Amino acid sequence: MSRLAATFEALSKTGRKALVPFITAGDPRPDFTLPMMHAMVDAGVDVIELGVPFSDPMADGPVIQRASERALEHKMSLRRVLAIATEFRKTNQHTPVVLMGYVNPIEAMGYEDFANAAQRADIDGVLTVDLPPEEAEQCVALLKARDIDPIFLLAPNSTDERIKKMDVAGSGYLYYVSLKGVTGAGHLNVVDVEAKLKQIKANTRLPVAIGFGVKDAQTAKTVADLGDGVVVGSALIGKIEANLDDLERAKTEIIELLTSMRQAMDSE
Amino acid sequence: MTEKYNMPDERGHFGPYGGMFVAETLMLPIQELNAAYQQYLDDPDFIAELDADLKHYVGRPSPLYHAERWSRELGGAQIYLKREDLNHTGAHKINNTIGQALLAKRMGKTRIIAETGAGQHGVATATVAARLGLECVVYMGAVDVARQSLNVYRMKLLGATVVAVESGSKTLKDALNEALRDWVTNVDNTFYIIGTVAGPHPYPAMVRDFQAIIGREAKQQCQDQVGRLPDALVACVGGGSNAIGLFYPFIDDRSVKMIGVEAAGDGVETGRHSAPLCAGRPGVLHGNRTYLMEDDDGEIIETHSISAGLDYPGVGPEHAWLKDTGRAEYVNITDTEALEGFHALTRMEGIIPALESSHAMAYTMKLAPTMSKDEIIIVCLSGRGDKDMQTMAQREGIEL
């Protein structure tokens, strides 16, 4: 069983939900990422989504765009993200790491070389925003052959047919993007998310993590109750951006936010 | 190639190129768009409305003009200019925006968005939006806003909101990113009019089909004036919409050479250029796989060209396919050479070309003398140079 499947299964046995932070690797500096990952694990997160910066992040709002730009200024790259993940794994064998990004850096490396490198780095999942199942056949086969879970996105306008497609192509979990829009935008509508999750659950047995619009402990708790996990990204990166001159403080504020989310999600 | 050319496949692939590389939220809208497009492609009412608009509003057919003096001066092939510069709004862009706007209207969309580089596509979009009474937002890189201020003013006069994009390199690619973000957010009421043969399927095929009127007319006009097919076609290639519009109806006519001219900027060897087909490699950007300008890590690199309309790190996927199959040839022209082409046409024929089109003119100056006097080149004069007066004056140190 993959590390992701095991994680979600263990959580579901205790009735808890996954807390999944997203940070862009190398933001604001390459040396910030590894200690941040360990600190987030200590704060009780279950899965880490590590953003691979890309020059043209079309599905991201301004907060994550700027995170990518900061990381790229320091020459962060897919290879270096894999190196960070390798370092992380030396002292943490239990927390799944999911790479999240765009397909072009993977194309540049070559699908097979990438799949091999991801396996060597002991990556657990790969979420490629602009690689829908229709275009993902080759990549999915290479990843699955190496026990790496391809993670797919679902959107408010995904049909039954498409959810079933993701259920077949994907593994590990599905990531429900709760808003039409880019990352960091707007506020999610609980009634809409609840209705959509019913539709999704009717078409897949995979766990569903919900992201986009999760800003604080309260929304984390509300969203956690609707699915199997909560993804929080822009709210964390906002803490980095607000404290670029004091990164210890950025780290402290991120940990405080994640801790409050964990507590809220675990409360009755 | 003995079989009739029939690209793309139903999922928008031109061999390994093209496709639908988009985030999940956009899958449904592009599938809806494709369905609508397939429906109206053969709908007699739609075709009739489009044809009437192209005739009475755009002013088609555009002339095929024999540049006799210039041909004589160059001493080789006879040069014929396809005068897209004479279209309403001054470029070929309106052929496509008219088509897509009529589609938007039939799909019940009330809001139009577009990206623009030089501003020609933005103006052409704002124009049709004004005429149809649709809300219009145009995304334009902040760098382009500064160097094409005349077109920004035109778009505003036409009632469009122009958003200066400050992210990334602040040029066309970033405008496209921002327009995609807008579309993801407002998919329910918004139609995204992409201006070139890039983007996810069906855009490359749809924009080509709307622009193919350039080649269909040229083929007929050449037949009428000379009684035969041309020997070569020349067109500039940024995203490649005017080029594919001219080339497409000739693809099965194997005797006709097709040459796309990319922008070499300071020179391909300097790295400061916009010539992905000549000096890039395949990758995925803006919803399709094509040749890109990127670094070893797959990050898109900044492009350079004197012409804002060619300043794009990708190119339409069909051009990538035509290159790989050898059906079309792609060459490049530097800023300096393009300026020579600009001045030559202006002084020889009394026609001031756009800086984009000047690249095609400059290559024609190299090609024509190598051909015989009874051979024929059709060059796409994709736009007029009025918008470039500021850039030209600045370049030549003249205060307007």
Side-chain angles (χ1 to χ4, degrees):
Chain A
M1 187 185 294
S2 76
R3 209 180 263 122
L4 276 168
T7 299
F8 277 97
E9 190 179 287
L11 284 165
S12 109
K13 277 187 184 148
T14 57
R16 294 167 74 236
K17 304 298 170 72
L19 177 57
V20 185
F22 168 96
I23 56 169
T24 299
D27 171 39
R29 291 196 325 230
D31 63 358
F32 182 79
T33 305
L34 183 62
M36 192 70 242
M37 290 170 77
H38 287 303
M40 293 194 298
V41 173
D42 293 341
V45 308
D46 303 288
V47 176
I48 294 174
E49 286 187 355
L50 204 49
V52 181
F54 180 49
S55 53
D56 294 78
M58 288 141 321
D60 285 300
V63 173
I64 294 180
Q65 285 175 46
R66 288 192 294 264
S68 268
E69 286 176 12
R70 285 191 296 269
L72 289 173
E73 273 169 29
H74 292 282
K75 304 278 176 227
M76 187 47 57
S77 64
L78 181 51
R79 276 172 220 287
R80 293 182 70 190
V81 177
L82 288 165
I84 291 172
T86 305
E87 280 303 307
F88 175 76
R89 202 44 96 217
K90 283 181 181 166
T91 50
N92 179 321
Q93 278 84 46
H94 69 279
T95 308
V97 174
V98 173
L99 296 187
M100 180 168 180
Y102 295 80
V103 72
N104 199 50
I106 298 177
E107 291 249 336
M109 189 180 280
Y111 286 140
E112 189 154 6
D113 286 355
F114 167 70
N116 288 335
Q119 185 180 32
R120 281 195 300 274
D122 208 354
I123 294 294
D124 300 284
V126 175
L127 196 171
T128 314
V129 177
D130 54 350
L131 193 67
E134 284 81 356
E135 303 286 357
E137 219 166 285
Q138 189 194 356
C139 192
V140 162
L142 288 164
L143 292 175
K144 283 187 172 172
R146 290 161 181 76
D147 290 321
I148 299 170
D149 291 314
I151 316 288
F152 285 96
L153 295 173
L154 291 171
N157 55 8
S158 298
T159 58
D160 283 356
E161 186 196 345
R162 288 198 63 76
I163 299 166
K164 287 187 180 126
K165 203 174 255 185
M166 310 298 178
D167 177 65
V168 174
S171 58
Y173 61 97
L174 294 173
Y175 182 154
Y176 176 57
V177 172
S178 64
L179 295 168
K180 287 178 188 163
V182 292
T183 50
H187 295 276
L188 54 82
N189 179 319
V190 176
V191 178
D192 290 351
V193 176
E194 195 170 5
K196 192 69 190 182
L197 257 290
K198 280 207 182 91
Q199 185 202 353
I200 293 170
K201 285 291 186 181
N203 289 291
T204 182
R205 284 173 300 176
L206 290 172
V208 181
I210 304 170
F212 282 35
V214 179
K215 292 180 192 312
D216 51 28
Q218 186 51 50
T219 46
K221 163 76 178 154
T222 308
V223 167
D225 289 344
L226 303 173
D228 305 295
V230 175
V231 184
V232 54
S234 296
L236 302 182
I237 291 172
K239 304 288 185 197
I240 295 176
E241 195 160 72
N243 296 291
L244 286 172
D245 52 355
D246 185 355
L247 294 181
E248 271 311 304
R249 183 168 166 178
K251 193 169 159 186
T252 306
E253 289 187 7
I254 287 172
I255 295 308
E256 280 170 7
L257 180 58
L258 289 172
T259 305
S260 70
M261 287 178 166
R262 179 82 271 169
Q263 283 167 354
M265 286 164 64
D266 290 349
S267 66
E268 284 304 309
Chain B
M1 209 186 297
T2 49
E3 277 175 34
K4 209 166 150 44
Y5 182 82
N6 184 26
M7 287 281 184
D9 70 14
E10 62 181 23
R11 291 213 314 241
H13 295 109
F14 301 87
Y17 304 109
M20 303 166 108
F21 293 85
V22 294
E24 178 60 16
T25 314
L26 286 181
M27 278 311 280
L28 195 69
I30 63 174
Q31 283 169 349
E32 282 172 2
L33 172 62
N34 193 31
Y37 175 59
Q38 296 302 335
Q39 178 190 340
Y40 291 115
L41 190 59
D42 301 317
D43 179 87
D45 286 347
F46 181 82
I47 302 289
E49 190 177 0
L50 178 61
D51 285 349
D53 277 358
L54 289 173
K55 182 174 179 189
H56 301 294
Y57 188 68
V58 177
R60 302 204 72 91
S62 69
L64 183 71
Y65 166 70
H66 184 191
E68 280 187 82
R69 183 172 175 227
W70 199 33
S71 303
R72 203 163 50 239
E73 170 78 15
L74 291 171
Q78 301 307 306
I79 300 164
Y80 285 77
L81 303 174
K82 182 58 177 162
R83 298 290 309 272
E84 294 300 302
D85 61 316
L86 294 177
N87 292 338
H88 179 43
T89 71
H92 71 292
K93 292 292 183 187
I94 199 160
N95 301 330
N96 168 51
T97 58
I98 287 256
Q100 288 198 48
L102 291 180
L103 203 53
K105 200 175 77 172
R106 294 198 182 215
M107 290 175 73
K109 305 290 184 185
T110 55
R111 181 172 176 270
I112 297 286
I113 58 170
E115 85 294 337
T116 198
Q120 290 304 96
H121 173 59
V123 167
T125 303
T127 298
V128 297
R131 176 159 172 266
L132 297 175
L134 300 168
E135 184 190 347
C136 180
V137 178
V138 178
Y139 292 92
M140 189 167 184
V143 168
D144 293 334
V145 167
R147 62 179 167 177
Q148 301 285 344
S149 56
L150 203 59
N151 270 343
V152 174
Y153 183 56
R154 287 167 85 192
M155 287 184 266
K156 287 181 177 167
L157 283 175
L158 289 159
T161 303
V162 179
V163 180
V165 178
E166 298 283 354
S167 58
S169 61
K170 304 180 180 33
T171 58
L172 180 55
K173 80 174 175 74
D174 309 286
L176 228 150
N177 290 337
E178 209 55 37
L180 284 167
R181 292 182 187 117
D182 179 312
W183 199 27
V184 164
T185 309
N186 302 296
V187 288
D188 295 331
N189 70 343
T190 298
F191 190 106
Y192 179 14
I193 299 188
I194 293 186
T196 190
V197 284
H201 179 65
Y203 284 101
M206 177 170 70
V207 176
R208 172 197 73 193
D209 291 347
F210 286 135
Q211 291 294 0
I213 190 157
I214 300 173
R216 283 199 306 272
E217 285 178 4
K219 198 172 185 176
Q220 184 61 49
Q221 290 164 324
C222 192
Q223 200 61 247
D224 294 346
Q225 293 179 31
V226 197
R228 66 175 183 90
L229 287 170
D231 299 287
L233 308 174
V234 177
C236 65
V237 176
S241 68
N242 88 84
I244 211 78
L246 177 63
F247 293 173
Y248 184 59
F250 291 94
I251 288 180
D252 286 326
D253 299 307
R254 305 288 296 178
S255 66
V256 181
K257 276 182 75 173
M258 309 193 305
I259 303 156
V261 185
E262 293 195 301
D266 293 343
V268 166
E269 68 289 350
T270 66
R272 293 172 49 83
H273 61 86
S274 302
L277 287 168
C278 293
R281 61 172 180 160
V284 172
L285 180 69
H286 295 147
N288 68 93
R289 184 181 287 120
T290 186
Y291 280 81
L292 298 176
M293 298 204 19
E294 60 177 22
D295 66 15
D296 291 343
D297 295 320
E299 308 295 346
I300 306 306
I301 55 178
E302 284 191 30
T303 54
H304 295 274
S305 171
I306 190 172
S307 121
L310 301 183
D311 210 344
Y312 180 65
V315 62
E318 192 160 16
H319 286 294
W321 174 245
L322 293 173
K323 171 191 158 75
D324 281 12
T325 57
R327 179 62 190 94
E329 181 190 347
Y330 295 88
V331 298
N332 56 83
I333 283 291
T334 64
D335 287 353
T336 308
E337 291 171 324
L339 290 173
E340 286 166 18
F342 176 94
H343 287 299
L345 191 70
T346 302
R347 297 299 289 270
M348 280 289 153
E349 296 288 348
I351 299 171
I352 302 179
L355 284 173
E356 289 77 15
S357 322
S358 298
H359 288 71
M361 301 309 145
Y363 186 73
T364 301
M365 290 166 69
K366 293 185 179 181
L367 178 67
T370 69
M371 295 169 68
S372 71
K373 285 180 182 160
D374 56 1
E375 289 186 296
I376 296 163
I377 305 174
I378 295 181
V379 192
C380 192
L381 177 44
S382 55
R384 59 176 172 249
D386 307 32
K387 70 180 174 60
D388 296 311
M389 291 302 106
Q390 263 174 337
T391 308
M392 288 302 298
Q394 206 172 18
R395 179 109 182 176
E396 306 199 332
I398 295 162
E399 200 142 330
L400 291 180

